[in-house]
Amino acid sequence: MTSQSFTIAIDGPAAAGKGTISKAVAAHFGFAHLDTGLLYRAVGSKVLMGEQPIRAAQALVAEDLEVDGLRTAEVAQAASKVAVIGDVRQALVDFQRSFARRAGGAVLDGRDIGTVICPSAEVKLFVTASAEVRAERRYLELREGGSESDFETVLADVKARDERDMNRAEAPLKPAEDAIVIDTSDLSIEAAIAAAIGVIKEKQG
Ligand code: CDP
């Protein structure tokens, strides 16, 4: 463990493989990992239970990220709806930035890490894949988790979220100018992880 901070920002659209790559990268380098989508999912889930989005975001605590049921398609849609609200995003900034600068290194994955949360991250990756490939992966994931869903519904869901995430006024989903794009459409997960590790090693010098 080093006492210095080193931030790796991994952004990209829904179900592109950010989560799997981020976890593997964090384990490889011994860095801490924050799935920032969980922050928005936790707020979305509270809103589904009747809370006000801004108040829910302001009152969010780390334990809220550990509750069951945050990975459902319903919560994902609710997350992307609260994520367009500027005050919701603002309420979550400090938590993400202090995580990013912790000693020993951090990997954050999300939509706006390289562009807004950590514009001076040492490494910025943008992980993407075609909507069909992403929907297929998410479909299998949801099915493994025991959810009933069909491919067409998952594809429509992924596209609706992409659309909302890319076209919002606050922190829209897009690659940072200095991000390195990894398209995982034709890559196995092992190859995608290896590509990410390769880029990071190069940046570490
Ligand atoms: O895992 P998946 O890619 O499907 O979604 P997620 O990363 O858990 O994010 C859920 C939703 O939260 C996204 O569709 C975004 O609307 C929002 N989000 C965001 O706006 N900014 C982030 N840094 C992370 C997630």
Side-chain angles (χ1 to χ4, degrees):
M1 262 288 196
T2 148
S3 61
Q4 272 187 325
S5 67
F6 188 94
T7 308
I8 301 173
I10 305 188
D11 292 304
K18 301 180 302 287
T20 311
I21 292 174
S22 300
K23 271 192 216 109
V25 160
H28 181 90
F29 292 97
F31 289 1
H33 170 225
L34 178 65
D35 171 358
T36 66
L38 274 184
L39 301 172
Y40 294 90
R41 284 175 181 261
V43 175
S45 156
K46 284 174 183 278
V47 169
L48 289 175
M49 291 185 288
E51 289 191 35
Q52 289 289 322
I54 298 168
R55 241 176 277 154
Q58 287 169 343
L60 206 70
V61 290
E63 294 75 61
D64 293 330
L65 308 183
E66 277 150 36
V67 303
D68 286 338
L70 295 183
R71 300 278 179 197
T72 66
E74 191 194 10
V75 170
Q77 286 295 342
S80 88
K81 288 179 188 161
V82 301
V84 306
I85 306 169
D87 285 345
V88 164
R89 306 198 70 82
Q90 199 51 44
L92 304 175
V93 167
D94 289 347
F95 180 80
Q96 295 176 83
R97 288 201 178 135
S98 54
F99 190 97
R101 296 328 276 175
R102 60 168 47 205
V107 182
L108 284 82
D109 74 281
R111 300 292 187 289
D112 62 340
I113 308 304
T115 50
V116 174
I117 301 296
C118 305
S120 52
E122 280 75 11
V123 184
K124 296 180 192 174
L125 301 178
F126 192 86
V127 177
T128 188
S130 73
E132 285 70 22
V133 166
R134 291 186 285 118
E136 178 71 24
R137 290 180 187 153
R138 181 53 47 93
Y139 167 68
L140 295 173
E141 216 173 81
L142 288 169
R143 232 182 34 177
E144 263 171 40
S147 304
E148 296 270 325
S149 53
D150 63 277
F151 174 76
E152 290 306 328
T153 308
V154 177
L155 178 61
D157 215 72
V158 157
K159 284 184 172 169
R161 264 197 307 137
D162 285 355
E163 181 72 17
R164 206 179 288 124
D165 291 349
M166 289 187 297
N167 294 311
R168 66 185 177 215
E170 297 276 340
L173 168 66
K174 62 173 180 199
E177 272 179 22
D178 51 349
I180 291 164
V181 178
I182 300 179
D183 188 326
T184 67
S185 302
D186 299 316
L187 292 183
S188 66
I189 190 61
E190 292 77 17
I193 292 167
I197 289 175
V199 169
I200 297 160
K201 279 194 174 149
E202 221 167 88
K203 294 273 179 186
Q204 271 185 325

